[in-house]
Structure formats: structure tokens, C-alpha cells
Amino acid sequence: MKEIHVLSDIGSISQAVAEKWRVLSEQAISGHGGFHIALSGGSTPRHLFEFLATSDYSKRIDWSRTHIYFGDERSVPADHKDSNFKMASDALLDRVKVPGSQVYRMPADADDIQKAAEEYSRLLKNNLPASDDGQVQFDLVLLGMGDDGHTASLFPGTTILEEADKLVSAVYVDKMATWRMSLTFPVINNARNIAVLVAGDNKKEILAKVLDDKSTVPLYPVQMIQARGDIDWYIDTAAAQSTSHHG
Ligand code: 6PG
């Protein structure tokens, strides 16, 4: 099921997603013994991560049964200012009691990034629960959306958009002249739950096209998601102002 939640600001988005995280975590832990989540990168989720680390959610979530993966990563070292791993570690992972052995960084700075992507795919196959058809299944995938409609590192015009088998792939992004590593649509689509977080005035134009303009051809990558489970959009009033979902 698809649901769009319009909330006043990034703070209320963070509270709503933290509660979603807590509920899904409890269900997953009682259902199959662990909660497997892929974190999004960029700037939007930082507030959520900090809220989880500093609110009473830090005590209400069973971090000992939580397994942290990444939706995508830049080809930089783990301590680089642009690293999604560093952002998540500074804002959350170093501040709660999630075992280090249950945090799986995407090594997008590996010399052979495609081989590293294949290894990360194997990690997912070994660690994650599977849906009825045997496909690996995240309990929750967090996603953001760029102002070009990309999500994770699934950028417009890149070959990874057509990837139908691999779970994780390396992708060269011409517009940024850099390599990325990203989950692909097959594993994103198979997640039990997807949460897309979009905030800020700078996203109003692209969000209006993505949510309301069905004539866009080719589709923006974030429109190409075909969630088998639930997908919840959490958008703030600034980003929603040009959409049909404005308050
Ligand atoms: C990344 C992210 C990317 C992000 C969007 C939105 O590595 O950059 O995974 O997909 O979610 O670019 O980024 P902002 O939240 O910074 O707008």
C-alpha cells in the first residue's frame, strides 16, 4: 500500500519515521528474530538519526537485534565528510548500542568496486530473511530523493536502472564524474516496507512532477519503484507546496 504523509517540518517527519522504525522493528524481531534496515544517505535523514539517538527511542528500540545496512554509498573512505556511513555513524550508530558486527558498511571505495558490490550482494543473501519466493527481503528501506528524481544512487540515465538480477551494483554517475554503489530496484521493491523522506523548499518542483505528473517519460528513478510491500512517503509542507498533497 502507498501512503503519503504531509508533516510540518523535518522534525515531525523524524518523529513519525522513528515511530515507524520502532513498530516495524518490534514486529520483525518477534517475527524473525532481527530487524534488517537499509539507511539512506544525504542530508535529510541526519535529523532522524539524531532524533533516534537522543530521544527516548534510543531506549525503546532493541539495538542488539538491529542490523544496519546502507542503501547506497559514495566512493570515499569511511571517515570522509561525504561518506553516508560516516554521517550515520556520527548521528546515530556511535551513539546507540547496535553491535559493530551488525553494521554493514558499503565499501564503495574498494579498488574493485564491482567485486565489492557482488560481495555486498552475497552478504545480503546470507543475512537477510527471504520473502515467500526466496528473494532477500529488508524489513525497512529508507530512501531520499534528489532534485533530479534519483533515489539511493539510482540516477536518471544510468545503466543500473535496468538491473533486474543483481541486488547491489556499482554505477558510474557521469553528472558527478564519480562511482557509487547502490541497492538495485529488485531488492528495494521486495522490501516489506519502504519509507521515502523528502523535505525542503528545494524539492517542491521535482516532487510535484514525481507525485502528480504521470506523463513524465522516461520516469524519474524514484517513480520506477514498484513496491511489493508498503511504501510511505514522508514529506514536509515546504516540499509538498506545489503538489496536490499540499495542506
Ligand atoms: C546519497 C543518497 C541520495 C539522497 C538524495 C537526497 O547518497 O546522496 O542516498 O539518494 O537520498 O540525494 O539527498 P538530500 O537528503 O541531501 O537532499
Side-chain angles (χ1 to χ4, degrees), residues 64 66-69 97-105 123 127:
S64 72
T66 299
H67 296 258
I68 301 281
Y69 308 79
K97 292 186 172 26
V98 58
S101 60
Q102 292 172 200
V103 176
Y104 312 97
R105 173 179 170 257
L123 172 81
N127 284 23

Side-chain angles (χ1 to χ4, degrees), residues 13-22 48 51-52 57 61:
I13 287 177
S14 299
Q15 290 189 27
V17 178
E19 180 58 16
K20 185 79 170 176
W21 177 318
R22 183 191 68 76
L48 164 65
F51 178 71
L52 284 167
Y57 278 97
I61 288 169

